[in-house]
Amino acid sequence: MQRREAVGKRCVLIGCGFGCPRPLIVSWLFTGSRLNRWHSHGSASRAAMAALWQKARDYVKTKEFRDYVTSTHFWGPVANWGLPLAAINDMKKSPEVISGRMTTAFIFYSMTFMRFAYRVQPRNLLLMACQGTNVMVQSVQASRYLIYYYGSGAAQATAAATNAAALTTTGAATVATDAPTTTTETWPAACDLEAVCSN
């Protein structure tokens, strides 16, 4: 049924009888009944995946696919993916930098082009996926904007900044009082210069 050749701690199965297209190298753990259970689990799903993979490979080799890749139906959506990717990148930034008007414009723009991508013949599903992603990401940005400016986000950010400044000032004062006193010559401030110059 199957012939095994020992190679160190590994076992090479040649013609294993389970429909393997090539010799299968399996770790020494998969011997005997473990190997049979491993092969029997999901053999139908592996066959389906292999058929799907073969179908995809055959499609990539066709003239129809080459024409699609060289058309605006492909490169337009690829260029448009910059919008949702930029919005995803902006999610890491503070909500202070979000423009409410621009975010709203992007939401309506993307909803319009989602409809266009579905209605145009042939349907441009890549553009529709891009614009759908942009609608979702821009909606998240809009919610961050609303929470920050109209919710309690701005007040919390201001309070946190005030607390941080107070802690920094207190820490600096503590360090200054602990440090030995030295006399340093300081430059007069701008208002002091006017007083000095007028004399």
Side-chain angles (χ1 to χ4, degrees):
M1 184 153 121
Q2 56 185 343
R3 185 178 56 159
R4 295 182 181 170
E5 297 176 5
V7 180
K9 288 188 176 181
R10 297 189 176 231
C11 178
V12 179
L13 302 175
I14 300 174
C16 64
F18 293 103
C20 296
R22 298 184 183 101
L24 180 65
I25 300 175
V26 182
S27 172
W28 60 273
L29 291 173
F30 292 109
T31 57
S33 63
R34 287 187 190 136
L35 180 63
N36 291 336
R37 276 185 281 154
W38 180 71
H39 260 291
S40 65
H41 287 333
S43 60
S45 64
R46 277 197 308 277
M49 287 301 294
L52 185 65
W53 177 253
Q54 185 62 38
K55 187 176 179 182
R57 285 181 58 196
D58 292 342
Y59 178 69
V60 167
K61 294 177 183 177
T62 63
K63 182 177 180 341
E64 179 184 350
F65 180 76
R66 285 192 304 271
D67 289 343
Y68 172 68
V69 171
T70 57
S71 73
T72 55
H73 267 314
F74 177 75
W75 288 107
V78 167
N80 266 313
W81 273 103
L83 295 173
L85 292 177
I88 290 169
N89 187 37
D90 286 346
M91 284 185 188
K92 300 174 197 167
K93 297 178 182 173
S94 171
E96 292 175 346
V97 298
I98 299 173
S99 168
R101 290 181 179 178
M102 197 67 197
T103 302
T104 306
F106 271 134
I107 290 171
F108 287 113
Y109 160 83
S110 292
M111 286 175 24
T112 303
F113 274 94
M114 273 179 67
R115 183 180 185 280
F116 167 78
Y118 186 76
R119 299 289 297 189
V120 71
Q121 291 299 324
R123 288 188 175 136
N124 196 338
L125 299 179
L126 186 59
L127 179 63
M128 189 172 159
C130 170
Q131 299 301 339
T133 304
N134 197 31
V135 167
M136 288 187 291
V137 173
Q138 295 295 343
S139 298
V140 170
Q141 290 289 76
S143 68
R144 290 180 65 216
Y145 174 84
L146 291 173
I147 289 170
Y148 185 78
Y149 285 104
Y150 297 105
S152 60
Q156 290 175 354
T158 305
T162 305
N163 289 340
L167 290 175
T168 305
T169 306
T170 306
T174 306
V175 170
T177 56
D178 292 344
T181 56
T182 57
T183 57
T184 58
E185 192 174 317
T186 59
W187 289 92
C191 59
D192 294 337
L193 285 176
E194 292 174 4
V196 171
C197 293
S198 64
N199 288 337

